[in-house]
Amino acid sequence: MERIIEEIREDLNRRIAVAAHRLADRMPTEEPAYAALLGRAELRDRLHDVLRQAVEGLAGGSPGLVPDLADARAEGALRAGQGLPLDSLLRVYRLGGRLLWQSLTEAVAAHDRAALPRLLTAAPALWDVMDRTADAAAESYRRAETVRGERERELRAALLDTLFDGAGPPEAAAESAHRLGLPERGRFAVVVLGPGGSADAHPGAGAPRVLWRIRADGETGLVDLGHLPLESVRDALAPLGVRAGVSPVVSSPAELARARRLAVLALGTAPASEGPRTSLLDERLPAALVAAEPDLAGRLRQVVLGPVLALAPEDRRVLLTTLGTWLTCQGSTTYAAQRLYCHRNTVSNRLRRLEQLTGRSLSDPAHVVELALAHTAVTLRPATPAPVPPPAPAPPVPRASRTSPTPGDTARR
């Protein structure tokens, strides 16, 4: 085979030059992505080089031995950097192989038609050369793509950190948002997942775009809401089965650092014991106030509910559960009894005992606020029973609330 190629070398070189012209003409139609990267002359020269190197590999002696794959490797790395799909690059090699076989067949037939049967035995060697060349380009492409992907992930992580941490000058946030493809003004939010939460699942149709950042303290997402409501974040997270906190909507990238802090606070309003849930800060503001000041929350627990927390565990659980249910039922003793599967009088008796222990009346709105916040403080961070400090003088409980079957009946139905 090597002898035949040497005999037809001059004619074959002419024919592959013509083939390169023909392939360059077909490229805008058959592989527009590849053709768009090069001018007409450059495209023709590059295709000619591919065909010529394949001929050199075929004439190299040992079957399948390609003398030099450096150009193919350089081509693969270059096209990866330009964003050309790998399938497009490999199709170019396949098209080149077909045209080379056609040119080789025509040159051998013109030289000595009787030699054509011998050419058939060389077909495996030709395709081996083309396969090795294409494989070298593909391997280099994938390696370059991996490196580029890692760099892009690192860059995106750094840009998100700039936005979430609020580090750097004010213009740093605008520049980071621009490089992430975010608008200068818009509707953004931040979502923070609880420990063990993962955003691996793909969002469904109509879900907002979220840029996730994995850090040691958990996963944080920058939500580009566009025209979607904030509640769409809850819908998108529901299939994940995670605990999450969501910030209010902000309008500029410079506000995302504050939004992240508020999302962390929103997450803190949802105890792990309640299971997966998405907490929007604006729906949990009283609990957020408690979560934002752990020292004051601890003091609130002891000052308001200290006597209750000092009870035996079962008594403590019953009274706190009854209080929480009554608050959830908007002060209705009847509805609370239905939820607790007990008689209405039982709920009334428990609430009356709670009033006696705390010195606070459930008929007094100010006292109800104190009890509600203290109950939230217990729910968010259950306290270990501690010695009860001497209680401050409390306002007397109205007589009606001590004698009525339903304590503070004006506040409960």
Side-chain angles (χ1 to χ4, degrees), residues 96-349:
R98 294 191 192 109
L99 275 182
L100 177 58
W101 176 253
Q102 182 180 344
S103 300
L104 185 59
T105 303
E106 293 171 352
V108 171
H111 174 70
D112 181 6
R113 184 169 293 276
L116 281 176
R118 283 191 293 161
L119 180 61
L120 295 176
T121 63
L126 172 63
W127 294 115
D128 183 67
V129 168
M130 295 305 299
D131 286 346
R132 286 176 179 267
T133 304
D135 287 347
E139 179 185 1
S140 180
Y141 180 104
R142 294 188 183 97
R143 188 180 301 114
E145 186 76 356
T146 298
V147 172
R148 187 181 68 156
E150 290 175 352
R151 289 180 60 85
E152 288 181 351
R153 284 191 292 272
E154 290 175 0
L155 174 61
R156 190 170 92 157
L159 295 173
L160 288 172
D161 284 345
T162 298
L163 294 174
F164 289 148
D165 297 338
E171 58 271 17
E175 175 63 20
S176 296
H178 174 71
R179 297 179 71 177
L180 288 167
L182 298 172
E184 184 176 348
R185 303 290 294 181
R187 296 178 65 252
F188 311 106
V190 175
V191 55
V192 175
L193 302 187
S198 174
D200 288 339
H202 296 288
R209 176 193 179 201
V210 184
L211 302 179
W212 290 102
R213 172 71 171 106
I214 302 176
R215 308 209 295 191
D217 55 353
E219 292 192 37
T220 303
L222 193 167
V223 186
D224 184 6
L225 286 165
H227 298 293
L228 294 173
L230 185 61
E231 289 73 15
S232 64
V233 180
R234 184 179 2 239
D235 296 337
L237 294 176
L240 303 182
V242 297
R243 288 177 56 244
V246 182
S247 75
V249 176
V250 297
S251 59
S252 73
E255 300 175 90
L256 287 169
R258 180 176 63 87
R260 181 179 182 275
R261 292 192 291 272
L262 294 178
V264 171
L265 194 56
L267 177 64
T269 68
S273 60
E274 295 183 5
R277 64 176 296 170
T278 298
S279 300
L280 275 58
L281 181 74
D282 286 350
E283 297 176 350
R284 306 274 294 177
L285 288 175
L289 287 173
V290 174
E293 295 291 342
D295 290 340
L296 287 178
R299 185 64 184 163
L300 185 66
R301 285 193 299 268
Q302 288 302 322
V303 169
V304 177
L305 289 175
V308 177
L309 298 176
L311 295 174
E314 182 59 21
D315 288 344
R316 178 170 70 242
R317 184 193 65 78
V318 167
L319 289 186
L320 290 176
T321 300
T322 301
L323 173 61
T325 305
W326 181 82
L327 290 168
T328 300
C329 293
Q330 302 178 357
S332 170
T333 305
T334 300
Y335 292 153
Q338 292 173 359
R339 286 201 179 187
L340 293 170
Y341 301 101
C342 63
H343 195 276
R344 182 177 183 275
N345 288 345
T346 301
V347 175
S348 297
N349 292 334

Side-chain angles (χ1 to χ4, degrees), residues 53-116:
Q53 290 167 15
V55 171
E56 294 297 332
L58 188 61
S62 301
L65 177 63
V66 181
D68 190 359
L69 295 173
D71 283 353
R73 295 190 180 102
E75 174 82 355
L78 175 63
R79 303 313 172 200
Q82 293 173 331
L84 178 74
L86 178 57
D87 286 347
S88 181
L89 177 62
L90 295 179
R91 277 195 295 270
V92 170
Y93 279 99
R94 287 197 293 271
L95 289 171
R98 294 191 192 109
L99 275 182
L100 177 58
W101 176 253
Q102 182 180 344
S103 300
L104 185 59
T105 303
E106 293 171 352
V108 171
H111 174 70
D112 181 6
R113 184 169 293 276
L116 281 176

